[in-house]
Amino acid sequence: MGTTTTAHRVVLGAGRSPGPALFAVTHHPCLGSEGPLPYSADRGKKSVSRQALDELKQQIPLLDYLQAHDWQPTRRLGRGRMMGLCPLHSDHKPSFLVDPIKNLFYCYGCGRGGDVIRFAELYYDVRFPQALTLLRQWCGLAPVLHQATDFYRIQLHRHGEGVAYLFQRGVRSPELIEHMRIGYAPGGCLRGWLTQLGHSLQALRQAGLVTAAGYDAYKHRVVFPLEGNLYGRSISPSAPPHRFLPGAKGGLYAWEQVRQYPKVILVEGLFDYAVLWQAGFHNVTCSMGNHLNVRQYRQLCDNLRTVYLAFDADTNGSGPQAAHSLACRLKEQGVSVRRVSLPDGHDPNSFFIEGGDACQFQSLLEAALP
């Protein structure tokens, strides 16, 4: 992966008491170097100044970025260093060393290490320019997305059509609406609100919240905030039903709240998640589609657990086929898998809307096959 594969020596805690030197296969010739060499974006054809990269890394401390991606230390060492499971491969024994002072990491298991830019490259399986774009988006999008989410949440209680749509989809608990931070985008007013808060029109366009023509991108949609993105479900039958902001959809929904459960229910959609959580199944998570991205797959494999795949029972067979394929891949990683058989043509959301209850769904879980 990447454009350069030269091995360089990365020493964590240099200048302190003697310790092992860590050898990491790095992507950039200057990683760990004291010289003024720039990172090369494409074998020297384009370059980014070292100063610009250092400024970006100062804005995004490695530990903050790791923790935002669900990494947690399992053991603390001397000099502020810590160990944990490696998020870059299926790790069952803590092998991932982080030095927050030097903003460097190294994995004794897969032999890879570097800084936050290198981590983004490896984690998302992208090249250097794309890693920089992801990091800059992560750094700059957080405030504006947070404020957009707050605005949409206020609008939900001002527009009865949004509440009526949620009720129609079986979402009726105020506790659930608060838990998922659900909002509503009426359209035509977000741009004015965010510009009053000091965000430029260009920044709103880059975030995807405003179209090139200057209009709100989300209109007549129930909005669910995600990690670094927003999902908008249209309440109008004439508009495309699903909409995300540009960029990755992120990891499994609410994974940090679910990962400690020994049994996890995986569903496709956020409304599937909503009705199950409302029914008391708080060990549920959502992949927002039946094809998992690399990060979501790694999350399911990060510990010993049983995963119940409650995918849609589509009449065309796409849901069951995706569940079968994912089950095979998870089993290869030692994950225990059970496939939940819903009535033909149903997903968890429609199952509850049409009269199903928690006891009946529990029976489906108990009858799930490997």
Side-chain angles (χ1 to χ4, degrees):
M1 175 194 335
T3 56
T4 307
T5 55
T6 307
H8 287 270
R9 189 179 186 184
V10 180
V11 183
L12 303 187
R16 301 173 185 268
S17 58
L22 307 182
F23 292 85
V25 177
T26 63
H27 180 72
H28 307 296
C30 65
L31 185 61
S33 166
E34 298 301 325
L37 296 173
Y39 285 83
S40 174
D42 186 11
R43 295 190 184 275
K45 296 177 183 178
K46 293 182 179 180
S47 64
V48 181
S49 73
R50 178 124 186 210
Q51 180 181 354
L53 295 173
D54 287 343
E55 290 174 354
L56 179 62
K57 289 186 288 185
Q58 287 174 5
Q59 295 173 15
I60 309 176
L62 173 63
L63 182 58
D64 290 354
Y65 193 70
L66 291 171
Q67 291 178 331
H69 289 72
D70 302 326
W71 186 81
Q72 296 295 331
T74 59
R75 183 158 54 100
R76 297 188 181 275
L77 310 175
R79 304 193 295 273
R81 299 178 300 172
M82 52 194 71
M83 294 283 290
L85 295 174
C86 180
L88 303 176
H89 74 283
S90 297
D91 197 7
H92 301 293
K93 180 180 178 182
S95 60
F96 191 78
L97 176 65
V98 177
D99 188 328
I101 298 175
K102 291 192 172 292
N103 278 322
L104 294 174
F105 73 91
Y106 180 78
C107 178
Y108 288 96
C110 62
R112 293 177 288 186
D115 57 16
V116 69
I117 301 174
R118 179 61 173 150
F119 179 82
E121 286 181 313
L122 295 170
Y123 192 82
Y124 289 104
D125 192 18
V126 296
R127 294 179 180 270
F128 175 61
Q130 289 74 36
L132 289 185
T133 298
L134 287 170
L135 289 168
R136 286 167 178 155
Q137 287 178 340
W138 187 85
C139 185
L141 277 182
V144 69
L145 288 187
H146 180 77
Q147 289 166 342
T149 296
D150 289 344
F151 178 81
Y152 289 142
R153 292 177 70 188
I154 293 171
Q155 300 309 308
L156 177 65
H157 302 287
R158 295 178 176 176
H159 294 82
E161 64 269 27
V163 176
Y165 181 80
L166 289 176
F167 193 85
Q168 173 190 337
R169 297 298 301 269
V171 178
R172 302 170 183 180
S173 163
E175 182 185 6
L176 171 64
I177 293 174
E178 180 67 23
H179 165 70
M180 298 185 74
R181 298 184 297 149
I182 303 173
Y184 178 67
C189 48
L190 177 69
R191 170 186 166 178
W193 172 259
L194 292 178
T195 52
Q196 284 183 5
L197 294 178
H199 297 285
S200 68
L201 182 57
Q202 180 183 3
L204 301 184
R205 284 175 175 149
Q206 289 177 344
L209 292 167
V210 170
T211 67
Y215 299 107
D216 287 5
Y218 286 15
K219 182 178 181 181
H220 299 157
R221 290 180 181 271
V222 172
V223 177
F224 297 82
L226 307 176
E227 175 195 51
N229 210 313
L230 293 174
Y231 168 70
R233 174 72 188 205
S234 175
I235 69 171
S236 172
S238 61
H242 311 290
R243 183 154 196 169
F244 292 89
L245 295 177
K249 64 182 178 181
L252 294 170
Y253 186 77
W255 182 245
E256 196 57 35
Q257 304 169 35
V258 177
R259 63 185 302 179
Q260 302 304 326
Y261 285 99
K263 297 180 180 180
V264 170
I265 304 168
L266 177 65
V267 297
E268 292 186 36
L270 286 167
F271 282 103
D272 300 326
Y273 172 97
V275 293
L276 281 175
W277 194 94
Q278 186 174 252
F281 297 95
H282 292 180
N283 59 329
V284 63
T285 186
C286 168
S287 54
M288 290 156 285
N290 57 31
H291 294 286
L292 277 65
N293 60 33
V294 173
R295 182 179 172 201
Q296 292 172 335
Y297 178 72
R298 287 173 179 156
Q299 287 173 323
L300 289 178
C301 299
D302 70 4
N303 207 343
L304 297 177
R305 60 172 59 90
T306 300
V307 178
Y308 289 81
L309 302 179
F311 283 7
D312 302 358
D314 303 298
T315 54
N316 62 8
S318 61
Q321 290 173 9
H324 174 74
S325 176
L326 178 59
C328 293
R329 293 174 60 204
L330 291 173
K331 288 175 183 177
E332 292 175 355
Q333 298 299 323
V335 178
S336 177
V337 183
R338 298 288 185 272
R339 285 177 289 164
V340 180
S341 295
L342 290 157
D344 289 345
H346 280 279
D347 55 32
N349 183 249
S350 64
F351 176 82
F352 278 90
I353 288 176
E354 297 192 12
D357 58 28
C359 291
Q360 291 172 332
F361 191 82
Q362 180 63 39
S363 296
L364 295 179
L365 294 177
E366 293 170 358
L369 299 175

